[in-house]
Amino acid sequence: VSFILIFSTRSGPSKREAIDDFNPDDVPDLLGAPGEDVARIDGQPQFGDTTNARVRLKDRSDPTRMAWDIEFARLSPVKDSDLVEIDRPRAWYLLGNNNLVFIRSDKAEFLMPDITSEPVSGRFTGNVEVLQFERMSDGSLPAPIAGDSSVRITTNWLDFDAVASELSTTETVLIASDSIDADCSG
């Protein structure tokens, strides 16, 4: 149920209206210090093995809008594929209605045919935590503190399909909010 609640604002034609107000310059460094710059060729990011950096990814449907803000300890493209492997991702994902999802895990693997745009699908693995927040009144991001989130989901691994706006796992999922405490599996 919470999975549907979290991602339901992402479906339908109005799902991206709130992204109009998403100014990437407003996004603070997630760990309070700037990471290394990603190498650029002709203004486009070029990823090799990159460490302690941050990437802002365009909305696949509207390249003028940002959809993801991801900080990571290491990002490595998988040779001859559209996959990237990420160590210790800390990602903000903007939903409609000014709702934000913060996801962190030990590792992640994203399918990214366009390295400058949001991933098509992927998997977060190891100590996955998903938190839902509303943007602050001044447009900034809240501190990603579990106790301050409206919904907290934890599991061992979590697949996502950005095109279908779906999350899935066969692992045990713990969901906590003001109105729900659930322990789900399957």
Side-chain angles (χ1 to χ4, degrees):
V1 172
S2 291
F3 282 38
I4 293 168
L5 292 174
I6 288 175
F7 285 92
S8 65
T9 58
R10 182 90 170 136
S11 62
S14 65
K15 65 186 175 188
R16 302 192 188 281
E17 291 174 358
I19 298 176
D20 289 329
D21 300 326
F22 184 65
N23 182 351
D25 294 332
D26 293 340
V27 181
D29 288 314
L30 300 181
L31 295 178
E36 296 172 13
D37 286 337
V38 173
R40 293 181 178 272
I41 298 174
D42 296 328
Q44 294 299 313
Q46 304 298 313
F47 296 106
D49 274 0
T50 307
T51 58
N52 300 320
R54 180 179 179 186
V55 177
R56 292 179 178 139
L57 301 174
K58 299 180 292 190
D59 184 307
R60 193 174 45 263
S61 300
D62 183 352
T64 65
R65 299 175 178 159
M66 303 307 293
W68 290 78
D69 187 293
I70 305 170
E71 185 176 82
F72 49 86
R74 184 185 61 82
L75 178 143
S76 297
V78 177
K79 188 175 180 174
D80 299 325
S81 77
D82 291 333
L83 292 174
V84 293
E85 294 175 338
I86 303 169
D87 287 343
R88 294 194 316 266
R90 295 168 50 92
W92 285 101
Y93 181 62
L94 182 64
L95 301 173
N97 302 329
N98 276 336
N99 287 319
L100 300 162
V101 171
F102 178 76
I103 304 172
R104 67 178 132 219
S105 65
D106 296 338
K107 295 191 177 290
E109 185 175 80
F110 291 172
L111 176 62
M112 299 178 69
D114 176 358
I115 199 72
T116 66
S117 187
E118 66 179 306
V120 174
S121 61
R123 176 176 279 187
F124 289 93
T125 55
N127 301 307
V128 178
E129 181 178 47
V130 180
L131 306 173
Q132 183 175 350
F133 299 94
E134 288 186 21
R135 285 185 68 100
M136 307 295 281
S137 59
D138 65 359
S140 64
L141 296 173
I145 299 169
D148 295 341
S149 67
S150 58
V151 177
R152 179 177 188 240
I153 299 171
T154 57
T155 189
N156 290 326
W157 63 265
L158 184 66
D159 286 343
F160 70 91
D161 181 331
V163 176
S165 296
E166 293 179 349
L167 293 172
S168 62
T169 187
T170 56
E171 293 289 312
T172 298
V173 177
L174 303 176
I175 303 168
S177 74
D178 289 340
S179 58
I180 297 172
D181 281 317
D183 183 342
C184 311
S185 61

